[in-house]
Amino acid sequence: MAVTLPSAVLDRYRRFSRFNSPYPAHDDGCAIDLYPAGETGLSPVAGVVRDTRTVGCPDRPYAAAEDHLIVVELDDDWCRRAGAAPGTRARILHVVPAVSPGDHVAVGDALGPMTRSGFFGRWVDDHVHLGFRPPDANALRASGSLPVDVAASVAPVRWDGTGVVSARGPTHVVLDAPAHPAPGQGFAALASDEGIPLDGGLAHYAGGGSFDALADGTEVSLWGTRVGVAAGRGLAWEPVDLLANGERVVGLSLFAAAGDGVAAKVVCPDAAFELGDRVSLALAPSDDPIRLGVG
């Protein structure tokens, strides 16, 4: 049985993604990443904090040496609205707990500052990772988590792959396109050639997904190149290369975005794109695709 996040929960975040990660819970559609505005991790659930733990994470020079887990036993009313069994527990990662066992939290409450986790790739923005465990399961374990769905429509946005660099980080650039079709009115995501809103790391992670339900075997293309085939809850990416102005780069981060723009994020650690540069993206089949093992 899937846990379905209500639209009133998702509306508190500037974007969200279920498949933009290489980790098994995301590959299986059993986790969601929520991106608040600012630096504070906002609670997506209501219930009683049952445990907080400090956990180890990969040692990366740009990240904290440890991560954190917050376990919340969900209120019956929250479970009812999300289609979850009473006693379901939420697992929240990447937030330094400012709450303690026994505290009650409501949707939107501050849980603590978000942390830059070693589970992230350097291009990944700080976020709240959310998964769910059945009432009779060990909430400290991620394996066996429940599927996660969203009760929000995501508008598909067609785009020709061309934009101007509006922001840059040490391993990525953000383009000023595609534009949100209705700023301030719901979520939008880059559309495939078939009009399917896409999610995930294309194609630097092995799989991605869609914000629409797809039948197994459905083929998905982008810019005239087949990029994936629906399998289970996600998409298995085809071996493709992303080209930026003809140069091979790592990949394209896909997510559902609210606000003024969908703003494509291009992962390109070795490319020297500057603010104001015009970038044209294309895809091509590959015999040796880039595949990464960090979020």
Side-chain angles (χ1 to χ4, degrees), residues 159-162 190-191 193 221-225 242 252 281-283:
W159 178 48
D160 65 1
T162 301
L190 177 64
D193 294 343
S221 60
L222 182 63
W223 304 324
T225 297
L242 179 68
L252 184 63
L281 302 179
L283 291 161

Side-chain angles (χ1 to χ4, degrees), residues 40-42 67-70 92-98 111-115 127-129:
T40 300
L42 303 180
D67 204 337
H68 304 272
L69 170 68
I70 301 172
I92 296 169
L93 286 162
H94 316 327
V95 178
V96 181
L111 297 174
M114 291 183 290
T115 185
H127 61 269
V128 175
H129 168 102

Side-chain angles (χ1 to χ4, degrees), residues 90-160:
R91 303 178 72 258
I92 296 169
L93 286 162
H94 316 327
V95 178
V96 181
V99 293
S100 301
D103 290 348
H104 185 273
V105 295
V107 173
D109 281 356
L111 297 174
M114 291 183 290
T115 185
R116 190 117 199 98
S117 171
F119 290 115
F120 299 177
R122 194 172 184 183
W123 57 91
V124 176
D125 294 337
D126 293 348
H127 61 269
V128 175
H129 168 102
L130 175 65
F132 299 94
R133 294 283 281 160
D136 57 351
N138 181 352
L140 300 180
R141 296 178 58 86
S143 59
S145 292
L146 297 166
V148 178
D149 285 333
V150 297
S153 60
V154 177
V157 180
R158 295 184 185 275
W159 178 48
D160 65 1

Side-chain angles (χ1 to χ4, degrees), residues 56-66 117-119:
C57 61
D59 182 15
R60 309 202 187 278
Y62 55 82
E66 56 194 21
S117 171
F119 290 115

Side-chain angles (χ1 to χ4, degrees), residues 57-80:
C57 61
D59 182 15
R60 309 202 187 278
Y62 55 82
E66 56 194 21
D67 204 337
H68 304 272
L69 170 68
I70 301 172
V71 177
V72 179
E73 183 176 346
L74 301 173
D75 287 346
D76 287 350
D77 183 62
W78 197 97
C79 289
R80 178 184 57 78

